[in-house]
Amino acid sequence: MSHHHLRPLDLQNGRVERAHGSGGRASQQLVDELFSRHFHSPQLAVRHDAGILTPPPGRIAASTDSFVVSPLFFPGGCIGDLAVHGSINDVAMSGAQPLALTIGFILEEGFPLSDLDRIAAAIGQASQRAAVPIISGDTKVVERGKADGVFLSTTCLGVIPEGIHIAPQRACPTDVVIVSGTIGDHGTAILSCREGIAFDCDLESDSAPLHSLVAAILSVHPDLHVLRDPTRGGVSAALHEIAASAQVGFRLWEAAIPVHPTVRSACQLLGLDPLHLACEGRLLAICPADDAARVLACMRAHPQGRDSAVIGEVITESPGFVQLETPYGGRKLLDWPAGEQLPRIC
Amino acid sequence: MQLTEELRLPDRAERLFHALDRTVQPGRSYRLMEFCGGHTHALCHFGLLDRLPSSIRMIHGPGCPVCVLPIGRLQQAIDLAIHQRVMLCSYGDLLRVKGRSHQSLQSARSLGADVRVVYGPMDALALAKKHPDREVVFLAVGFETTTPMTAATVEQARKESIRNFSVLCNHVLTPAALSALLSATKDPVQVDGFIGPGHVAAVIGSDAFSAISQTFSKPIVIAGFEPIDLLASLLHLIELLNQGQSIVLNDFARAATPEGNRRAQAIIHQVMELRDSFAWRGLGELANSALRLRDSYRDYDAEHRFSLSTESIPDHRACRCPDVLRGSCIPTDCTLFGTACTPDSPLGSCMVSAEGACAAYFLHRPQRLLRKVHVTSSPSTP
């Protein structure tokens, strides 16, 4: 569609204007000249109000997530790919294979179009790489000062294959906990570029889609009990939630938990615990101890799970709590992350 | 980081645990106080307490700056943020501490106050430069470890003629608190020896502890903060007690010298002076135990700039933080512990910071799960 009556968008120096969210010609132009260059799906091409899907057999899984990360661009990613991975991963943690994504943009008046273009490109690439198309989208613009550049909201739909029953309530004593890689990379990467704390580091966010790793695990072990991606609140919050749902306890072996040396140093310096820091491309898998070797081997063979490790076990004692065995033979409790630690990490 | 790894090796720790078991004398009990909250945190964080010989009882001292900050002084900061609309810069630990009627810096922020978390006073000064139209106040707390940075920042502000920056100074002094603990006429703390604060000693020097050691006949071993540091220093402290020696031993020589950091001392002396008296939370009014800005720096003193007066706000009636800080009870002895008072909703200051004894117990001690059957020490006079 062409807009002879409108000057083309200036993607280098232009800025978001209120008209871009008005639903009028300027809105249309933003879609045509910016979003359409990056998002490709048959559903978007027909320009219906709704994206229409014919799902394969199975139960539908849906998950929605909002993204307010600051800064918008960080080592290893940006708000765009983070928003794609975030919802895909939430759906994948139910054992579902994701089918499609929808995305909502809340833009602040004055936001540079060049940044919006970079974010849209990252969204398009992430969706393409994950092979999960974007089938519907929406854009709103709010006055300057009423948002912080751009906020995103994504919803992912997926289908759970027959025979898969993943639920936090299924964690039971004699199960073990496997993590798919080093923990806290995303949280540390965000911290490293935060105003007031910024430090040089060689670390990138672990932001990545996990559905292919999940599919690989389920192909060798369909009876997996629990999957969880330790995002906000990190491994600690994820395990506490599961402990409360299943009324079990956890015991982790601190020495077995994979932590990148940079994350370890940053945590020492800033007084944080890697177990409280967010991951955006890691999962926790809980399965019977007898199956652990098989699951672990499968995870390590997958590019998203090379550093997988068994880090703990499910126990009957002290349900609702997570214990940590230190390398010195002492035991301590791990707590929920309290109060504001790192706001706006996703 | 190489050094840290060395000082965290589990097999070295194992050898020290065995040495401690061999060194404690049968039938004797040892009441040892780690003064510094950093040590309390490390003992709990690394899970070392469970492995110490049962004859060693660790008493957790008042060396947590957040814990000893009087509520009235915190309230000054909250009021500045809410009523004077200043940009209030604080260490993150202080945000959840409750002031008057459940107010906190965190709740002030939700009311629209501009409260910023910073990692040090220089960050606050940078904010002042970036926002010349705002009054920026740094809420300064801490022992001698954080004092030099506050002093240096004030001096820097003066050098650069930054007019919109001031400091609410609550810096306190370690030796004063130690001698107050030992000389209290009512309920003096029963301690055989001290694990001395390594970082404080790096600033004021290990010699600064000699007078206390001599006056009260207590051995003091200055320790670092890694597991091997702490275990080795505990071993030395037990050996000194066995030999009946009341001396200061500096086990943290990699950072602390006998005379300390002269430059840090000089900048403190240049910018700050002793207060006649300061009301420590938990310890009460102690003479010559805290610092204020000198008159020549009064433009940078928030107390002067905003004509503040300190209101005395009492602790919750059932809160036993004062007893915990004096070492006369352990956190689980308090009826509020883990029920009305938790890290998410702290009533007493010891529950707020990770360095506070109550928070360290709550966060890291599995024993709290068994609290109902836990044998507690006898309560002191309230």
Side-chain angles (χ1 to χ4, degrees), chain A residues 195-196 268 270 318 321 326-328 330-333 335 338 340, chain B residues 8 10 45-47 50-51 109 119 123 130 227 363-364 366 368-369:
Chain A
E195 184 185 14
Q268 269 182 36
L270 300 173
S318 51
F321 289 90
T326 74
Y328 311 100
R331 276 195 290 159
K332 61 177 185 175
L333 282 180
D335 197 49
E340 172 200 282
Chain B
R8 291 190 172 189
H45 176 79
F46 295 111
D50 302 336
R51 298 285 318 275
R109 185 153 65 183
Y119 273 80
D123 293 344
K130 195 171 163 191
L363 297 179
H364 297 314
R368 83 171 149 98
L369 298 174

PDB file of all heavy atoms in Angstrom, chain A residues 195-196 268 270 318 321 326-328 330-333 335 338 340, chain B residues 8 10 45-47 50-51 109 119 123 130 227 363-364 366 368-369:
ATOM      1  N   GLU A 195      22.201   2.382  34.948  1.00  0.00           N
ATOM      2  CA  GLU A 195      22.707   3.656  35.454  1.00  0.00           C
ATOM      3  C   GLU A 195      22.975   3.525  36.954  1.00  0.00           C
ATOM      4  O   GLU A 195      22.167   2.984  37.685  1.00  0.00           O
ATOM      5  CB  GLU A 195      21.650   4.738  35.235  1.00  0.00           C
ATOM      6  CG  GLU A 195      22.113   6.112  35.645  1.00  0.00           C
ATOM      7  CD  GLU A 195      21.003   7.157  35.542  1.00  0.00           C
ATOM      8  OE1 GLU A 195      19.832   6.757  35.401  1.00  0.00           O
ATOM      9  OE2 GLU A 195      21.316   8.330  35.614  1.00  0.00           O
ATOM     10  N   GLY A 196      24.132   3.988  37.355  1.00  0.00           N
ATOM     11  CA  GLY A 196      24.426   3.967  38.780  1.00  0.00           C
ATOM     12  C   GLY A 196      25.198   2.740  39.230  1.00  0.00           C
ATOM     13  O   GLY A 196      25.850   2.749  40.249  1.00  0.00           O
ATOM     14  N   GLN A 268      29.227 -11.080  44.297  1.00  0.00           N
ATOM     15  CA  GLN A 268      30.046 -10.795  45.485  1.00  0.00           C
ATOM     16  C   GLN A 268      30.164  -9.297  45.692  1.00  0.00           C
ATOM     17  O   GLN A 268      30.042  -8.785  46.795  1.00  0.00           O
ATOM     18  CB  GLN A 268      31.445 -11.376  45.292  1.00  0.00           C
ATOM     19  CG  GLN A 268      31.580 -12.791  45.810  1.00  0.00           C
ATOM     20  CD  GLN A 268      32.997 -13.290  45.639  1.00  0.00           C
ATOM     21  OE1 GLN A 268      33.953 -12.549  45.774  1.00  0.00           O
ATOM     22  NE2 GLN A 268      33.125 -14.570  45.331  1.00  0.00           N
ATOM     23  N   LEU A 270      28.215  -6.866  44.563  1.00  0.00           N
ATOM     24  CA  LEU A 270      26.976  -6.115  44.786  1.00  0.00           C
ATOM     25  C   LEU A 270      26.128  -6.715  45.898  1.00  0.00           C
ATOM     26  O   LEU A 270      25.033  -6.234  46.179  1.00  0.00           O
ATOM     27  CB  LEU A 270      26.154  -6.067  43.493  1.00  0.00           C
ATOM     28  CG  LEU A 270      26.857  -5.412  42.304  1.00  0.00           C
ATOM     29  CD1 LEU A 270      26.046  -5.569  41.034  1.00  0.00           C
ATOM     30  CD2 LEU A 270      27.099  -3.935  42.585  1.00  0.00           C
ATOM     31  N   SER A 318      10.392 -30.226  55.715  1.00  0.00           N
ATOM     32  CA  SER A 318      10.148 -28.779  55.589  1.00  0.00           C
ATOM     33  C   SER A 318       9.522 -28.385  54.255  1.00  0.00           C
ATOM     34  O   SER A 318      10.137 -27.695  53.445  1.00  0.00           O
ATOM     35  CB  SER A 318      11.419 -27.977  55.845  1.00  0.00           C
ATOM     36  OG  SER A 318      12.494 -28.446  55.085  1.00  0.00           O
ATOM     37  N   PHE A 321       9.862 -25.030  51.755  1.00  0.00           N
ATOM     38  CA  PHE A 321      11.159 -24.376  51.927  1.00  0.00           C
ATOM     39  C   PHE A 321      12.210 -24.961  50.986  1.00  0.00           C
ATOM     40  O   PHE A 321      12.120 -26.103  50.554  1.00  0.00           O
ATOM     41  CB  PHE A 321      11.651 -24.525  53.369  1.00  0.00           C
ATOM     42  CG  PHE A 321      10.864 -23.708  54.349  1.00  0.00           C
ATOM     43  CD1 PHE A 321       9.741 -24.244  54.967  1.00  0.00           C
ATOM     44  CD2 PHE A 321      11.232 -22.409  54.637  1.00  0.00           C
ATOM     45  CE1 PHE A 321       8.998 -23.485  55.863  1.00  0.00           C
ATOM     46  CE2 PHE A 321      10.499 -21.641  55.538  1.00  0.00           C
ATOM     47  CZ  PHE A 321       9.387 -22.183  56.152  1.00  0.00           C
ATOM     48  N   THR A 326      25.828 -26.048  51.788  1.00  0.00           N
ATOM     49  CA  THR A 326      27.004 -25.284  51.370  1.00  0.00           C
ATOM     50  C   THR A 326      28.178 -26.241  51.169  1.00  0.00           C
ATOM     51  O   THR A 326      28.147 -27.373  51.646  1.00  0.00           O
ATOM     52  CB  THR A 326      27.390 -24.213  52.422  1.00  0.00           C
ATOM     53  OG1 THR A 326      27.999 -24.865  53.535  1.00  0.00           O
ATOM     54  CG2 THR A 326      26.175 -23.416  52.866  1.00  0.00           C
ATOM     55  N   PRO A 327      29.211 -25.781  50.469  1.00  0.00           N
ATOM     56  CA  PRO A 327      30.376 -26.656  50.252  1.00  0.00           C
ATOM     57  C   PRO A 327      31.081 -27.003  51.561  1.00  0.00           C
ATOM     58  O   PRO A 327      31.974 -27.828  51.578  1.00  0.00           O
ATOM     59  CB  PRO A 327      31.299 -25.811  49.359  1.00  0.00           C
ATOM     60  CG  PRO A 327      30.432 -24.752  48.784  1.00  0.00           C
ATOM     61  CD  PRO A 327      29.341 -24.507  49.778  1.00  0.00           C
ATOM     62  N   TYR A 328      30.677 -26.352  52.677  1.00  0.00           N
ATOM     63  CA  TYR A 328      31.331 -26.602  53.965  1.00  0.00           C
ATOM     64  C   TYR A 328      30.522 -27.546  54.837  1.00  0.00           C
ATOM     65  O   TYR A 328      30.766 -27.669  56.033  1.00  0.00           O
ATOM     66  CB  TYR A 328      31.579 -25.258  54.675  1.00  0.00           C
ATOM     67  CG  TYR A 328      32.221 -24.283  53.732  1.00  0.00           C
ATOM     68  CD1 TYR A 328      31.481 -23.307  53.091  1.00  0.00           C
ATOM     69  CD2 TYR A 328      33.574 -24.418  53.403  1.00  0.00           C
ATOM     70  CE1 TYR A 328      32.062 -22.462  52.162  1.00  0.00           C
ATOM     71  CE2 TYR A 328      34.165 -23.582  52.477  1.00  0.00           C
ATOM     72  CZ  TYR A 328      33.403 -22.606  51.858  1.00  0.00           C
ATOM     73  OH  TYR A 328      33.979 -21.787  50.929  1.00  0.00           O
ATOM     74  N   GLY A 330      27.567 -27.233  55.855  1.00  0.00           N
ATOM     75  CA  GLY A 330      26.493 -26.600  56.609  1.00  0.00           C
ATOM     76  C   GLY A 330      25.244 -26.537  55.753  1.00  0.00           C
ATOM     77  O   GLY A 330      25.311 -26.655  54.533  1.00  0.00           O
ATOM     78  N   ARG A 331      24.100 -26.389  56.415  1.00  0.00           N
ATOM     79  CA  ARG A 331      22.871 -26.219  55.657  1.00  0.00           C
ATOM     80  C   ARG A 331      22.291 -24.862  55.965  1.00  0.00           C
ATOM     81  O   ARG A 331      22.387 -24.368  57.080  1.00  0.00           O
ATOM     82  CB  ARG A 331      21.863 -27.310  56.025  1.00  0.00           C
ATOM     83  CG  ARG A 331      22.106 -28.584  55.251  1.00  0.00           C
ATOM     84  CD  ARG A 331      20.908 -29.475  55.362  1.00  0.00           C
ATOM     85  NE  ARG A 331      20.770 -30.002  56.704  1.00  0.00           N
ATOM     86  CZ  ARG A 331      19.609 -30.465  57.193  1.00  0.00           C
ATOM     87  NH1 ARG A 331      18.519 -30.428  56.461  1.00  0.00           N
ATOM     88  NH2 ARG A 331      19.554 -30.945  58.411  1.00  0.00           N
ATOM     89  N   LYS A 332      21.687 -24.254  54.963  1.00  0.00           N
ATOM     90  CA  LYS A 332      21.003 -22.995  55.226  1.00  0.00           C
ATOM     91  C   LYS A 332      19.744 -22.965  54.395  1.00  0.00           C
ATOM     92  O   LYS A 332      19.567 -23.766  53.479  1.00  0.00           O
ATOM     93  CB  LYS A 332      21.913 -21.816  54.919  1.00  0.00           C
ATOM     94  CG  LYS A 332      22.356 -21.751  53.472  1.00  0.00           C
ATOM     95  CD  LYS A 332      23.193 -20.520  53.238  1.00  0.00           C
ATOM     96  CE  LYS A 332      23.539 -20.385  51.768  1.00  0.00           C
ATOM     97  NZ  LYS A 332      24.246 -19.188  51.425  1.00  0.00           N
ATOM     98  N   LEU A 333      18.884 -22.025  54.754  1.00  0.00           N
ATOM     99  CA  LEU A 333      17.661 -21.870  53.988  1.00  0.00           C
ATOM    100  C   LEU A 333      17.874 -20.821  52.923  1.00  0.00           C
ATOM    101  O   LEU A 333      18.570 -19.841  53.128  1.00  0.00           O
ATOM    102  CB  LEU A 333      16.536 -21.397  54.898  1.00  0.00           C
ATOM    103  CG  LEU A 333      15.899 -22.438  55.779  1.00  0.00           C
ATOM    104  CD1 LEU A 333      14.820 -21.786  56.601  1.00  0.00           C
ATOM    105  CD2 LEU A 333      15.321 -23.562  54.939  1.00  0.00           C
ATOM    106  N   ASP A 335      15.945 -18.017  50.807  1.00  0.00           N
ATOM    107  CA  ASP A 335      14.689 -17.308  50.979  1.00  0.00           C
ATOM    108  C   ASP A 335      14.175 -16.807  49.644  1.00  0.00           C
ATOM    109  O   ASP A 335      14.904 -16.719  48.672  1.00  0.00           O
ATOM    110  CB  ASP A 335      14.864 -16.128  51.935  1.00  0.00           C
ATOM    111  CG  ASP A 335      13.526 -15.647  52.458  1.00  0.00           C
ATOM    112  OD1 ASP A 335      12.737 -16.503  52.909  1.00  0.00           O
ATOM    113  OD2 ASP A 335      13.267 -14.439  52.404  1.00  0.00           O
ATOM    114  N   ALA A 338      13.528 -10.786  48.610  1.00  0.00           N
ATOM    115  CA  ALA A 338      12.649  -9.853  49.331  1.00  0.00           C
ATOM    116  C   ALA A 338      12.713  -8.463  48.742  1.00  0.00           C
ATOM    117  O   ALA A 338      13.765  -8.009  48.320  1.00  0.00           O
ATOM    118  CB  ALA A 338      13.050  -9.807  50.811  1.00  0.00           C
ATOM    119  N   GLU A 340      12.444  -4.908  46.690  1.00  0.00           N
ATOM    120  CA  GLU A 340      12.948  -4.532  45.377  1.00  0.00           C
ATOM    121  C   GLU A 340      14.426  -4.860  45.297  1.00  0.00           C
ATOM    122  O   GLU A 340      15.227  -4.285  45.994  1.00  0.00           O
ATOM    123  CB  GLU A 340      12.752  -3.028  45.162  1.00  0.00           C
ATOM    124  CG  GLU A 340      13.444  -2.564  43.901  1.00  0.00           C
ATOM    125  CD  GLU A 340      13.700  -1.074  43.871  1.00  0.00           C
ATOM    126  OE1 GLU A 340      12.740  -0.358  43.607  1.00  0.00           O
ATOM    127  OE2 GLU A 340      14.836  -0.654  44.080  1.00  0.00           O
TER     128      GLU A 340
ATOM    129  N   ARG B   8      38.160 -20.106  49.938  1.00  0.00           N
ATOM    130  CA  ARG B   8      36.856 -20.768  50.002  1.00  0.00           C
ATOM    131  C   ARG B   8      36.968 -22.265  49.814  1.00  0.00           C
ATOM    132  O   ARG B   8      35.964 -22.953  49.668  1.00  0.00           O
ATOM    133  CB  ARG B   8      35.939 -20.199  48.919  1.00  0.00           C
ATOM    134  CG  ARG B   8      35.535 -18.785  49.204  1.00  0.00           C
ATOM    135  CD  ARG B   8      34.452 -18.292  48.302  1.00  0.00           C
ATOM    136  NE  ARG B   8      34.007 -16.983  48.778  1.00  0.00           N
ATOM    137  CZ  ARG B   8      32.957 -16.349  48.308  1.00  0.00           C
ATOM    138  NH1 ARG B   8      32.240 -16.869  47.358  1.00  0.00           N
ATOM    139  NH2 ARG B   8      32.613 -15.177  48.804  1.00  0.00           N
ATOM    140  N   PRO B  10      36.826 -25.932  50.266  1.00  0.00           N
ATOM    141  CA  PRO B  10      36.193 -26.743  51.298  1.00  0.00           C
ATOM    142  C   PRO B  10      37.167 -27.647  52.069  1.00  0.00           C
ATOM    143  O   PRO B  10      36.988 -27.844  53.267  1.00  0.00           O
ATOM    144  CB  PRO B  10      35.179 -27.580  50.516  1.00  0.00           C
ATOM    145  CG  PRO B  10      34.861 -26.755  49.314  1.00  0.00           C
ATOM    146  CD  PRO B  10      36.146 -26.066  48.960  1.00  0.00           C
ATOM    147  N   HIS B  45      25.794 -17.390  55.817  1.00  0.00           N
ATOM    148  CA  HIS B  45      25.761 -17.596  54.374  1.00  0.00           C
ATOM    149  C   HIS B  45      26.542 -18.840  53.962  1.00  0.00           C
ATOM    150  O   HIS B  45      26.109 -19.614  53.108  1.00  0.00           O
ATOM    151  CB  HIS B  45      26.337 -16.360  53.688  1.00  0.00           C
ATOM    152  CG  HIS B  45      26.451 -16.479  52.205  1.00  0.00           C
ATOM    153  ND1 HIS B  45      25.361 -16.318  51.378  1.00  0.00           N
ATOM    154  CD2 HIS B  45      27.507 -16.769  51.397  1.00  0.00           C
ATOM    155  CE1 HIS B  45      25.750 -16.500  50.124  1.00  0.00           C
ATOM    156  NE2 HIS B  45      27.039 -16.768  50.105  1.00  0.00           N
ATOM    157  N   PHE B  46      27.705 -19.039  54.557  1.00  0.00           N
ATOM    158  CA  PHE B  46      28.512 -20.196  54.187  1.00  0.00           C
ATOM    159  C   PHE B  46      28.139 -21.440  54.992  1.00  0.00           C
ATOM    160  O   PHE B  46      28.716 -22.505  54.804  1.00  0.00           O
ATOM    161  CB  PHE B  46      30.003 -19.888  54.352  1.00  0.00           C
ATOM    162  CG  PHE B  46      30.490 -18.823  53.410  1.00  0.00           C
ATOM    163  CD1 PHE B  46      30.877 -17.579  53.869  1.00  0.00           C
ATOM    164  CD2 PHE B  46      30.548 -19.064  52.043  1.00  0.00           C
ATOM    165  CE1 PHE B  46      31.313 -16.590  52.989  1.00  0.00           C
ATOM    166  CE2 PHE B  46      30.982 -18.085  51.155  1.00  0.00           C
ATOM    167  CZ  PHE B  46      31.365 -16.841  51.636  1.00  0.00           C
ATOM    168  N   GLY B  47      27.199 -21.292  55.902  1.00  0.00           N
ATOM    169  CA  GLY B  47      26.761 -22.443  56.685  1.00  0.00           C
ATOM    170  C   GLY B  47      27.838 -22.959  57.625  1.00  0.00           C
ATOM    171  O   GLY B  47      28.023 -24.164  57.776  1.00  0.00           O
ATOM    172  N   ASP B  50      26.838 -24.368  61.913  1.00  0.00           N
ATOM    173  CA  ASP B  50      26.468 -25.755  62.244  1.00  0.00           C
ATOM    174  C   ASP B  50      27.673 -26.630  62.516  1.00  0.00           C
ATOM    175  O   ASP B  50      27.573 -27.644  63.181  1.00  0.00           O
ATOM    176  CB  ASP B  50      25.715 -26.398  61.066  1.00  0.00           C
ATOM    177  CG  ASP B  50      24.478 -25.633  60.684  1.00  0.00           C
ATOM    178  OD1 ASP B  50      23.968 -24.913  61.559  1.00  0.00           O
ATOM    179  OD2 ASP B  50      24.036 -25.757  59.528  1.00  0.00           O
ATOM    180  N   ARG B  51      28.804 -26.266  61.945  1.00  0.00           N
ATOM    181  CA  ARG B  51      29.948 -27.163  62.009  1.00  0.00           C
ATOM    182  C   ARG B  51      30.919 -26.803  63.142  1.00  0.00           C
ATOM    183  O   ARG B  51      31.921 -27.490  63.333  1.00  0.00           O
ATOM    184  CB  ARG B  51      30.708 -27.126  60.669  1.00  0.00           C
ATOM    185  CG  ARG B  51      29.907 -27.584  59.453  1.00  0.00           C
ATOM    186  CD  ARG B  51      29.742 -29.104  59.396  1.00  0.00           C
ATOM    187  NE  ARG B  51      30.945 -29.838  59.742  1.00  0.00           N
ATOM    188  CZ  ARG B  51      31.923 -30.130  58.892  1.00  0.00           C
ATOM    189  NH1 ARG B  51      31.838 -29.747  57.637  1.00  0.00           N
ATOM    190  NH2 ARG B  51      32.978 -30.808  59.285  1.00  0.00           N
ATOM    191  N   ARG B 109       8.261   6.335  48.540  1.00  0.00           N
ATOM    192  CA  ARG B 109       8.397   6.355  47.085  1.00  0.00           C
ATOM    193  C   ARG B 109       7.046   6.105  46.406  1.00  0.00           C
ATOM    194  O   ARG B 109       6.724   6.713  45.395  1.00  0.00           O
ATOM    195  CB  ARG B 109       9.424   5.316  46.642  1.00  0.00           C
ATOM    196  CG  ARG B 109       9.710   5.370  45.170  1.00  0.00           C
ATOM    197  CD  ARG B 109      11.082   4.869  44.852  1.00  0.00           C
ATOM    198  NE  ARG B 109      11.210   3.464  45.156  1.00  0.00           N
ATOM    199  CZ  ARG B 109      12.333   2.783  45.016  1.00  0.00           C
ATOM    200  NH1 ARG B 109      13.422   3.363  44.581  1.00  0.00           N
ATOM    201  NH2 ARG B 109      12.382   1.516  45.311  1.00  0.00           N
ATOM    202  N   TYR B 119      24.882   2.974  45.153  1.00  0.00           N
ATOM    203  CA  TYR B 119      25.879   2.087  45.733  1.00  0.00           C
ATOM    204  C   TYR B 119      26.934   2.845  46.515  1.00  0.00           C
ATOM    205  O   TYR B 119      27.814   2.252  47.107  1.00  0.00           O
ATOM    206  CB  TYR B 119      26.497   1.201  44.653  1.00  0.00           C
ATOM    207  CG  TYR B 119      25.689  -0.060  44.449  1.00  0.00           C
ATOM    208  CD1 TYR B 119      24.541  -0.053  43.684  1.00  0.00           C
ATOM    209  CD2 TYR B 119      26.058  -1.241  45.093  1.00  0.00           C
ATOM    210  CE1 TYR B 119      23.780  -1.192  43.531  1.00  0.00           C
ATOM    211  CE2 TYR B 119      25.307  -2.381  44.953  1.00  0.00           C
ATOM    212  CZ  TYR B 119      24.171  -2.361  44.166  1.00  0.00           C
ATOM    213  OH  TYR B 119      23.408  -3.493  44.037  1.00  0.00           O
ATOM    214  N   ASP B 123      27.855   8.270  43.734  1.00  0.00           N
ATOM    215  CA  ASP B 123      26.715   8.141  42.816  1.00  0.00           C
ATOM    216  C   ASP B 123      25.680   9.225  43.111  1.00  0.00           C
ATOM    217  O   ASP B 123      25.052   9.778  42.207  1.00  0.00           O
ATOM    218  CB  ASP B 123      26.041   6.770  42.969  1.00  0.00           C
ATOM    219  CG  ASP B 123      26.941   5.632  42.509  1.00  0.00           C
ATOM    220  OD1 ASP B 123      27.928   5.926  41.809  1.00  0.00           O
ATOM    221  OD2 ASP B 123      26.662   4.471  42.843  1.00  0.00           O
ATOM    222  N   LYS B 130      23.781  16.008  37.816  1.00  0.00           N
ATOM    223  CA  LYS B 130      22.901  15.781  36.677  1.00  0.00           C
ATOM    224  C   LYS B 130      21.571  16.522  36.839  1.00  0.00           C
ATOM    225  O   LYS B 130      20.921  16.853  35.854  1.00  0.00           O
ATOM    226  CB  LYS B 130      22.653  14.269  36.557  1.00  0.00           C
ATOM    227  CG  LYS B 130      22.053  13.839  35.237  1.00  0.00           C
ATOM    228  CD  LYS B 130      22.038  12.331  35.118  1.00  0.00           C
ATOM    229  CE  LYS B 130      21.088  11.917  34.010  1.00  0.00           C
ATOM    230  NZ  LYS B 130      20.842  10.480  34.023  1.00  0.00           N
ATOM    231  N   PRO B 227      35.348 -17.845  54.264  1.00  0.00           N
ATOM    232  CA  PRO B 227      35.220 -18.947  55.222  1.00  0.00           C
ATOM    233  C   PRO B 227      36.546 -19.327  55.897  1.00  0.00           C
ATOM    234  O   PRO B 227      36.588 -19.508  57.111  1.00  0.00           O
ATOM    235  CB  PRO B 227      34.712 -20.104  54.358  1.00  0.00           C
ATOM    236  CG  PRO B 227      34.056 -19.473  53.195  1.00  0.00           C
ATOM    237  CD  PRO B 227      34.744 -18.167  52.961  1.00  0.00           C
ATOM    238  N   LEU B 363      16.999 -16.005  57.186  1.00  0.00           N
ATOM    239  CA  LEU B 363      17.304 -16.382  55.812  1.00  0.00           C
ATOM    240  C   LEU B 363      18.072 -17.683  55.720  1.00  0.00           C
ATOM    241  O   LEU B 363      17.886 -18.444  54.791  1.00  0.00           O
ATOM    242  CB  LEU B 363      18.122 -15.279  55.138  1.00  0.00           C
ATOM    243  CG  LEU B 363      17.431 -13.933  55.003  1.00  0.00           C
ATOM    244  CD1 LEU B 363      18.359 -12.929  54.344  1.00  0.00           C
ATOM    245  CD2 LEU B 363      16.164 -14.085  54.173  1.00  0.00           C
ATOM    246  N   HIS B 364      18.940 -17.912  56.668  1.00  0.00           N
ATOM    247  CA  HIS B 364      19.910 -18.976  56.435  1.00  0.00           C
ATOM    248  C   HIS B 364      19.904 -20.114  57.434  1.00  0.00           C
ATOM    249  O   HIS B 364      20.611 -21.086  57.252  1.00  0.00           O
ATOM    250  CB  HIS B 364      21.316 -18.375  56.408  1.00  0.00           C
ATOM    251  CG  HIS B 364      21.518 -17.406  55.279  1.00  0.00           C
ATOM    252  ND1 HIS B 364      21.125 -17.672  53.999  1.00  0.00           N
ATOM    253  CD2 HIS B 364      22.054 -16.164  55.244  1.00  0.00           C
ATOM    254  CE1 HIS B 364      21.423 -16.648  53.217  1.00  0.00           C
ATOM    255  NE2 HIS B 364      21.967 -15.715  53.952  1.00  0.00           N
ATOM    256  N   PRO B 366      18.319 -23.222  59.001  1.00  0.00           N
ATOM    257  CA  PRO B 366      17.210 -24.169  58.902  1.00  0.00           C
ATOM    258  C   PRO B 366      16.550 -24.392  60.263  1.00  0.00           C
ATOM    259  O   PRO B 366      15.390 -24.766  60.337  1.00  0.00           O
ATOM    260  CB  PRO B 366      17.871 -25.451  58.420  1.00  0.00           C
ATOM    261  CG  PRO B 366      19.199 -25.070  57.908  1.00  0.00           C
ATOM    262  CD  PRO B 366      19.598 -23.799  58.585  1.00  0.00           C
ATOM    263  N   ARG B 368      15.277 -22.440  62.109  1.00  0.00           N
ATOM    264  CA  ARG B 368      14.072 -21.646  62.348  1.00  0.00           C
ATOM    265  C   ARG B 368      12.820 -22.455  62.051  1.00  0.00           C
ATOM    266  O   ARG B 368      11.756 -22.191  62.561  1.00  0.00           O
ATOM    267  CB  ARG B 368      14.109 -20.350  61.555  1.00  0.00           C
ATOM    268  CG  ARG B 368      13.658 -20.427  60.117  1.00  0.00           C
ATOM    269  CD  ARG B 368      13.541 -19.020  59.558  1.00  0.00           C
ATOM    270  NE  ARG B 368      13.826 -18.964  58.154  1.00  0.00           N
ATOM    271  CZ  ARG B 368      12.887 -18.965  57.207  1.00  0.00           C
ATOM    272  NH1 ARG B 368      11.623 -19.091  57.525  1.00  0.00           N
ATOM    273  NH2 ARG B 368      13.222 -18.871  55.944  1.00  0.00           N
ATOM    274  N   LEU B 369      12.985 -23.484  61.210  1.00  0.00           N
ATOM    275  CA  LEU B 369      11.847 -24.356  60.924  1.00  0.00           C
ATOM    276  C   LEU B 369      11.456 -25.138  62.164  1.00  0.00           C
ATOM    277  O   LEU B 369      10.335 -25.577  62.325  1.00  0.00           O
ATOM    278  CB  LEU B 369      12.203 -25.354  59.820  1.00  0.00           C
ATOM    279  CG  LEU B 369      12.559 -24.743  58.477  1.00  0.00           C
ATOM    280  CD1 LEU B 369      13.016 -25.815  57.530  1.00  0.00           C
ATOM    281  CD2 LEU B 369      11.348 -24.030  57.931  1.00  0.00           C
TER     282      LEU B 369
END
